[in-house]
């Protein structure tokens, strides 16, 4: 089921993307953005972690990068976000031909709520930082959507971990950027909260192009339209696992269980954990 | 509870003082009894009050000036990494010279009046405020700096405006807890600056009153002035600590320094 060949990663534009897989109404105005990524090398300090990484982000789809800790997943996200400089020969191309800068939202491992600001003020921080007028109505509406109605005036210290991640999710949606980078934001949550937030995230990000990294195979299987595994030594990116069922998936389904075993086999080829 | 602890501590200290004065049968000019000091404080309260007001004004002005200059310096240094390499050695070297050593100079330059004492207090307050605020400004969560960079990509292209907003909404709030520790130290050392200035040369203030009383063997008046000074310093510290805790209520691990 899982093809793990490094020969020719997919790079052609995905055109058959609007086959309404999720069933969710996708009536958002601008058409979703597709992104082609080629990173020549990816290094952390002086060590090169990855070479020749090619990845296509399909418009309006969630692409999951699955890999063990320390394999360089976060570095991939950070190069896309522009936090890390791109290596020579790397390029990132958007389907509309415009540059990617300024069109990215980021969801960190930590909720990154500002401890001194109320929930509502936390949502409008991007507007404040870029000198735009804060849209409090939209913020209130989004808080309702993520299930935090009535909590506008609370401080982050008065919220649970799950609620703080809901604030982070709402803040991510505030910007309305076409590409959302998600760095395993649910890893610190308990199982039930994580489950609910995964569902919520899938439904709220249904019109966005999402790149999500995670070390949890079940999370990837649950949320990712497209799943790639980072493993091996040296680290390689697997081809898309080609799951066609809609997300969020039921992790107990037979196809998912089979896929889970394949992923575990792939992950076992990584030596990263032993190295650290 | 805190008030009770404070009262108990004060009573025990005064009792110990009284016992030593009475038990060792020391003459009044070596160690006056608490009762004698209390009597002097009450009978000479008008003289003490006048001098206390001078010292209080010096401390207040020193705090305002020292804190403003310190915050301003920290902001400038943090925004210009190039300047930091030039300024920090000067700042540290300036701290190697005890303020006591330059006190006579300050009195020479700024005269016997209140100015030289305010300058002294400012000098002594400036350093802890600058260093603590600068430290806080340099320790913004890197994840948030990245996030802010991303959020500012769509906005106005002006670098100055971006920097201003970054400081206003992210860097300064993150630095406030650190600045608060600097302010507590500043409040604790401010009276030192004022009183040392008064010792070196002045015609009013509690420091002046102490020297004056000492020269006339009026040890009870000296103690009275000292008590009033201690009361002022402690009240000021409590006040500042209270205000800071109120302002930083959002900090999840915010505790009083006394807890």
């Amino acid at each position: 089921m899982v093809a793990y060949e490094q020969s020719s990663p997919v790079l052609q534009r995905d055109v058959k993307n609007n086959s309404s897989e999720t069933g969710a109404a996708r009536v958002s105005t601008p058409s979703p953005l597709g992104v082609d990524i080629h990173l020549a090398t990816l290094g952390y300090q002086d060590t090169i972690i990855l070479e020749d990484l090619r990845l296509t982000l399909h418009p309006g789809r969630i692409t999951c990068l699955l890999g063990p800790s320390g394999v360089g997943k976060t570095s991939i996200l950070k190069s896309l976000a522009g936090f890390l400089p791109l290596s020579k020969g790397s390029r990132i191309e958007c389907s509309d031909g415009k540059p990617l800068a300024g069109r990215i939202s980021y969801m960190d491992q930590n909720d990154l709520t500002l401890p001194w600001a109320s929930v509502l003020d936390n949502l409008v921080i991007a507007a404040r930082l870029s000198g735009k007028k804060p849209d409090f109505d939209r913020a209130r509406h989004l808080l309702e959507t993520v299930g935090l109605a009535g909590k506008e005036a609370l401080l982050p210290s008065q919220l649970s971990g799950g609620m703080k991640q809901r604030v982070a999710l709402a803040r991510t949606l505030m910007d309305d950027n076409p590409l959302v980078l998600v760095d395993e934001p649910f890893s610190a949550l308990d199982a039930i909260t994580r489950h609910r937030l995964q569902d919520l995230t899938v439904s709220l990000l249904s019109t966005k192009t999402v790149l999500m990294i995670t070390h949890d195979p079940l999370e990837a299987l649950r949320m990712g339209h497209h799943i790639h595994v980072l493993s091996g030594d040296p680290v390689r990116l697997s081809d898309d696992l080609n799951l066609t069922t809609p997300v969020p998936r039921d992790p107990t389904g037979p196809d998912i269980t089979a896929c889970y075993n394949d992923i575990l086999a792939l992950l076992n080829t990584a030596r990263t954990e032993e190295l650290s | 509870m805190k008030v009770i602890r404070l009262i108990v501590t004060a009573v025990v200290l005064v009792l110990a003082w009284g016992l030593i004065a009475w038990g060792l049968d020391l003459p009044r000019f070596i160690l006056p009894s608490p009762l004698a000091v209390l009597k002097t404080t009450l009978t000479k309260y008008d003289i003490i009050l006048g001098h206390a007001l001078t010292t209080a004004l010096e401390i207040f002005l020193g705090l305002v000036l020292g804190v403003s200059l310190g915050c301003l310096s920290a902001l400038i240094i943090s925004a210009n990494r190039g300047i930091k390499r030039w300024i920090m050695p000067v700042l540290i070297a300036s701290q190697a010279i005890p303020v006591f050593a330059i006190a006579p100079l300050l009195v020479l330059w700024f005269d016997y009046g209140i100015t030289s004492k305010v300058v002294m207090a400012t000098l002594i307050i400036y350093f802890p405020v600058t260093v603590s605020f600068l430290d806080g400004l340099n320790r913004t969560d890197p994840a948030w700096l990245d996030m802010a960079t991303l959020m500012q990509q769509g906005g106005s292209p002006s670098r100055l405006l971006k920097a201003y907003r970054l400081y206003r909404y992210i860097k300064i709030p993150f630095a406030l807890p650190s600045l608060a520790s600097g302010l507590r130290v500043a409040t604790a050392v401010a009276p030192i600056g004022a009183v040392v200035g008064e010792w070196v040369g002045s015609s009013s203030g509690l420091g002046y009153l102490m020297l004056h009383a000492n020269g006339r063997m009026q040890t009870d008046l000296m103690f009275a002035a000292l008590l009033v000074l201690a009361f002022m310093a402690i009240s000021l510290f409590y006040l500042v600590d209270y205000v800071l805790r109120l302002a930083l209520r959002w900090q999840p691990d915010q505790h009083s320094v006394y807890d």
Side-chain angles (χ1 to χ4, degrees):
Chain A
M1 177 177 276
V2 176
Y4 181 52
E5 293 148 14
Q6 207 44 53
S7 49
S8 62
V10 206
L11 202 72
Q12 81 276 13
R13 298 263 151 72
D14 186 54
V15 278
K16 48 178 178 19
N17 54 66
N18 269 333
S19 53
S20 88
E21 250 175 35
T22 57
R26 300 188 182 201
V27 282
S28 175
T29 29
S31 64
L33 189 74
V35 186
D36 270 340
I37 301 154
H38 175 211
L39 300 178
T41 58
L42 186 70
Y44 178 72
Q45 285 162 2
D46 287 334
T47 335
I48 288 177
I49 310 170
L50 267 169
E51 275 182 90
D52 195 31
L53 175 120
R54 287 167 198 273
L55 179 67
T56 302
L57 304 183
H58 303 274
R61 289 286 183 270
I62 299 176
T63 305
C64 279
L65 287 188
L66 182 63
S69 319
V71 82
K73 300 191 299 289
T74 301
S75 300
I76 295 176
L77 277 201
K78 291 198 166 170
S79 345
L80 289 185
F83 303 159
L84 295 174
L86 282 182
S87 54
K88 213 177 153 209
S90 305
R91 58 186 179 81
I92 297 170
E93 279 173 15
C94 299
S95 56
D96 59 1
K98 293 180 197 149
L100 188 57
R103 298 198 283 173
I104 307 169
S105 291
Y106 195 94
M107 250 185 112
D108 196 77
Q109 282 166 321
N110 306 309
D111 51 76
L112 292 186
T113 46
L114 300 170
W116 59 83
S118 70
V119 167
L120 198 63
D121 281 328
N122 261 291
L123 254 61
V124 297
I125 183 65
R128 292 217 159 111
L129 277 172
S130 53
K132 292 175 197 138
K133 196 170 173 285
D135 187 348
F136 289 108
D137 289 336
R138 186 175 153 74
R140 282 199 193 86
H141 173 73
L142 276 171
L143 280 178
E144 222 167 280
T145 319
V146 299
L148 288 178
K151 308 266 190 267
E152 290 86 353
L154 295 185
L155 289 175
S157 54
Q158 296 168 291
L159 302 178
S160 68
M163 286 160 122
K164 279 194 251 187
Q165 276 303 355
R166 280 168 196 263
V167 174
L169 180 60
R171 184 186 59 207
T172 310
L173 293 163
M174 271 303 279
D175 308 339
D176 207 20
N177 283 320
L179 178 62
V180 181
L181 304 175
V182 184
D183 185 356
E184 42 190 330
F186 313 123
S187 44
L189 303 176
D190 63 88
I192 295 172
T193 311
R194 182 163 58 224
H195 197 86
R196 285 192 191 136
L197 268 171
Q198 286 168 343
D199 285 359
L200 186 68
T201 308
V202 166
S203 74
L204 290 180
L205 293 181
S206 63
T207 58
K208 312 278 184 199
T209 305
V210 180
L211 176 60
M212 175 166 144
I213 60 174
T214 178
H215 58 246
D216 177 4
L218 278 179
E219 184 162 83
L221 286 168
R222 203 169 149 63
M223 298 178 69
H225 294 100
H226 304 277
I227 300 171
H228 298 267
V229 181
L230 277 163
S231 62
D233 182 29
V235 179
R236 292 284 179 197
L237 185 70
S238 79
D239 285 345
D240 188 356
L241 296 189
N242 273 323
L243 290 160
T244 48
T245 44
V247 290
R249 297 191 190 92
D250 174 10
T252 53
D255 52 332
I256 299 302
T257 319
C259 212
Y260 183 74
N261 292 331
D262 289 339
I263 290 177
L264 279 191
L266 270 179
L267 284 175
N268 270 334
T269 59
R271 270 185 35 195
T272 341
E273 283 304 332
E274 295 157 39
L275 285 175
S276 62
Chain B
M1 199 56 218
K2 198 159 87 186
V3 180
I4 296 173
R5 274 205 303 269
L6 208 69
I7 293 171
V8 170
T9 312
V11 167
V12 168
L13 285 177
V14 170
L15 275 181
W17 167 17
L19 274 177
I20 292 170
W22 171 78
L24 298 179
D25 198 19
L26 294 168
R28 275 180 72 113
F29 60 88
I30 297 288
L31 184 69
S33 72
L35 263 178
V37 171
L38 185 68
K39 219 174 100 189
T40 313
T41 314
L42 291 178
T43 51
K44 299 194 172 162
Y45 82 94
D46 49 341
I47 304 171
I48 298 172
L49 191 69
H51 289 291
L53 281 178
T54 308
T55 306
L57 186 66
E58 289 161 1
I59 294 173
F60 175 74
L61 289 178
L63 268 175
V64 170
L65 268 173
V67 170
S68 321
L69 287 175
C71 288
L72 200 67
S73 308
L75 284 171
I76 293 172
I77 296 170
S78 122
N80 304 276
R81 301 214 167 261
I83 287 187
K84 186 181 173 182
R85 292 194 200 103
W86 287 94
I87 295 286
M88 280 317 278
V90 179
L91 268 182
I92 290 162
S94 78
Q95 287 308 298
I97 307 165
V99 79
F100 306 87
I102 55 165
L105 264 182
L106 291 178
V107 172
L108 184 69
W109 290 340
F110 298 103
D111 217 340
Y112 279 80
I114 191 171
T115 319
S116 54
K117 287 84 201 171
V118 173
V119 171
M120 198 98 62
T122 305
L123 278 181
I124 212 169
I125 289 161
Y126 174 78
F127 190 72
V129 172
T130 310
V131 170
S132 63
F133 195 29
L134 188 60
D135 193 44
L137 288 171
N138 287 339
R139 277 170 194 253
T140 318
D141 184 352
W144 245 113
L145 287 183
D146 281 348
M147 192 70 133
T149 312
L150 203 62
M151 287 176 167
Q152 289 194 321
Q153 272 179 355
S156 89
S158 155
R159 277 187 58 191
L160 199 69
L161 264 179
K162 276 187 183 177
Y164 163 75
R165 293 194 186 112
L166 181 65
Y167 271 84
R168 161 136 191 233
Y169 294 113
I170 305 291
K171 283 199 142 196
I172 292 178
F174 266 122
L176 288 182
S178 180
L179 173 63
S181 354
L183 289 181
R184 289 194 179 97
V185 175
T187 315
V189 297
I192 300 176
V195 169
V196 167
E198 288 169 359
W199 279 350
V200 172
S202 64
S203 50
S204 95
L206 288 174
Y208 163 79
L209 186 63
M210 277 184 240
L211 274 193
H212 187 84
N214 193 30
R216 281 161 186 72
M217 297 283 240
Q218 294 172 325
T219 315
D220 48 349
L221 183 59
M222 220 181 124
F223 264 81
L226 195 61
L227 276 185
V228 172
L229 180 69
F231 175 76
M232 266 167 45
I234 293 170
S235 316
L236 179 70
F237 191 81
Y238 268 74
L239 181 73
V240 169
D241 182 62
Y242 178 75
V243 170
L244 288 176
R245 262 185 302 143
L246 215 61
L248 294 174
R249 253 178 319 184
W250 50 266
Q251 253 194 309
D253 50 353
Q254 176 71 20
H255 294 297
S256 163
V257 286
Y258 316 107
D259 293 339

